[in-house]
Amino acid sequence: MAAAAPLTVAVTGPTGEIGRAFVRALERSRDVGRVKALGRRQIDPASEGWKKTEYLRGDVLDRDAVEQVVEGADVVVHLAFAIMGAPGENGREVNLTGSRNVFGAAVRAGARRLVYTSSVAAYGFHDDNPPLLTEDVHPRGTDAHAYSKAKAAVERLLSEMTVGTHTSTYVFRPCIVAGPDALMFIGSIPYVQLGDKMPAAVWRLLDAVPVLKPVIPDNGISFQLVHHDDVAAALRAATLGRGRPGIYNLAAHGTLTMRDLADDLGWYAIPVPELAVDVAAEMATRLPFIPEDAQWLNALRVPMLMDVSKAERELRWRPRYGVRETLRATIAEARLSQMLR
């Protein structure tokens, strides 16, 4: 029996924290012969060590560029997204119109598989979420959280645009993606900058005590991390057609709290009442002058823990990195990059 021809894979967003790890995984795969990548940054594939990858600088809002990168692809992997729910119309356009452009081009090109990376945020930050989120839970999003709302909307769009076609779809919902290529985790809301919204009384207390290290507020909510290389491994499995098409949660084994984060940073953690987080999140929802990235405060109001047994069973996916190992690798790289002083 003749061996299958190597795949041609089109990738949008190849220079993000997941994108770089994923392209590296494709470069190592014998089943992939060609990678066509579309990204907004100016990079040289050779300097990245990419030998199979042809890089086109462009934007998913440019339909001609999208059609060019998708043409001839067996598999299309859509990673491009405005991570923080970027303020202004352009962020919404990238997330919704850009995704529509990619999905439409993939279907018209007759791609065998379309792989989309969504997020745990697609479930929405709701008080009535189950203690452990499975893929059967409907992705409702949260209207007050731009990123969450957009992720749920794009999942609906993907379903609508591929129903009745010959293109099978895989949707991945990773938790917070961390690792050396994902340094934005360290400085992002809600994990460190929640301190900007701490009650004034708490800050006055801290001001009265000699504090030599930064402080992270801790309301006791647990969260998950996943290493970008482990996300890339799951994406590669879908690209190669492993398992059944469908939706898959991704998270490393174990959970963390803010206190764990503070311990590994060598910082202090101070308990913050749950009410204080609720009030700050409500402010972020209602006040028009609050920056849009402050909406991440909503993520601290309820636990967002996922069951990943489906990915382990269907895709034979096993995360190589535990949650604490992932956190420490991120911190170590951040310190090398002088993000943490």
Side-chain angles (χ1 to χ4, degrees):
M1 182 176 178
L7 296 171
T8 295
V9 183
V11 183
T12 68
T15 61
E17 68 271 13
I18 297 175
R20 288 182 185 273
F22 178 54
V23 173
R24 290 196 297 264
L26 294 181
E27 288 277 339
R28 293 191 298 267
S29 175
R30 296 179 179 178
D31 296 310
V32 175
R34 183 186 183 196
V35 180
K36 301 174 68 180
L38 175 68
R40 290 188 291 182
R41 300 179 189 175
Q42 181 64 54
I43 66 168
D44 175 16
S47 68
E48 299 286 337
W50 299 347
K51 299 179 179 179
K52 301 177 182 179
T53 303
E54 304 163 17
Y55 186 80
L56 173 64
R57 188 179 183 187
D59 195 296
V60 290
L61 294 176
D62 183 343
R63 294 187 62 178
D64 289 339
V66 171
E67 296 282 351
Q68 182 179 339
V69 80
V70 166
E71 183 181 3
D74 301 297
V75 184
V76 176
V77 182
H78 182 40
L79 305 177
F81 211 84
I83 298 296
M84 297 299 292
E89 190 64 29
N90 189 56
R92 290 188 288 273
E93 284 293 300
V94 168
N95 295 341
L96 298 175
T97 304
S99 295
R100 182 185 297 276
N101 289 343
V102 174
F103 299 157
V107 170
R108 288 190 296 273
R112 299 183 216 169
R113 290 180 287 281
L114 179 51
V115 182
Y116 169 59
T117 301
S118 185
S119 167
V120 62
Y123 288 113
F125 307 110
H126 305 293
D127 291 332
D128 60 349
N129 281 343
L132 198 61
L133 293 160
T134 68
E135 292 85 352
D136 294 329
V137 175
H138 181 68
R140 294 179 284 168
T142 294
D143 288 343
H145 190 293
Y147 179 74
S148 171
K149 182 179 179 180
K151 282 296 187 183
V154 174
E155 286 197 28
R156 291 193 296 271
L157 179 65
L158 174 63
S159 178
E160 292 167 1
M161 295 187 68
T162 56
V163 65
T165 72
H166 297 291
T167 300
S168 59
T169 60
Y170 290 76
V171 175
F172 289 97
R173 294 175 184 156
C175 61
I176 302 162
V177 179
D181 289 347
L183 298 185
M184 64 167 289
F185 162 74
I186 290 297
S188 69
I189 291 176
Y191 298 102
V192 175
Q193 294 180 7
L194 180 58
D196 295 341
K197 304 300 176 188
M198 286 178 66
V202 175
W203 280 123
R204 285 195 294 271
L205 172 63
L206 295 177
D207 287 341
V209 180
V211 177
L212 302 179
K213 302 174 183 178
V215 174
I216 294 179
D218 176 25
N219 70 340
I221 295 292
S222 296
F223 61 94
Q224 295 169 306
L225 296 181
V226 64
H227 197 288
H228 48 63
D229 287 354
D230 286 328
V231 177
L235 291 171
R236 179 177 59 189
T239 298
L240 301 182
R242 186 181 301 170
R244 290 181 294 180
I247 300 167
Y248 293 93
N249 292 336
L250 299 177
H253 295 148
T255 62
L256 296 168
T257 65
M258 295 299 185
R259 182 166 296 278
D260 296 323
L261 174 59
D263 287 345
D264 280 356
L265 285 167
W267 295 0
Y268 294 120
I270 183 169
V272 174
E274 183 178 345
L275 178 60
V277 177
D278 288 344
V279 170
E282 190 67 19
M283 287 176 56
T285 298
R286 295 181 179 274
L287 299 181
F289 54 84
I290 296 293
E292 201 162 343
D293 59 5
Q295 295 170 4
W296 283 96
L297 287 165
N298 285 282
L300 281 181
R301 302 176 77 169
V302 294
M304 294 289 288
L305 303 180
M306 296 187 297
D307 177 10
V308 299
S309 60
K310 181 181 177 182
E312 294 178 329
R313 182 178 64 253
E314 296 280 344
L315 302 177
R316 303 192 299 277
W317 179 74
R318 297 291 184 274
R320 292 175 53 199
Y321 299 92
V323 64
R324 206 64 180 258
E325 184 181 5
T326 299
L327 174 61
R328 289 171 179 169
T330 310
I331 292 171
E333 184 64 25
R335 288 198 163 118
L336 285 175
S337 301
Q338 298 183 334
M339 287 181 63
L340 301 174
R341 296 188 293 270

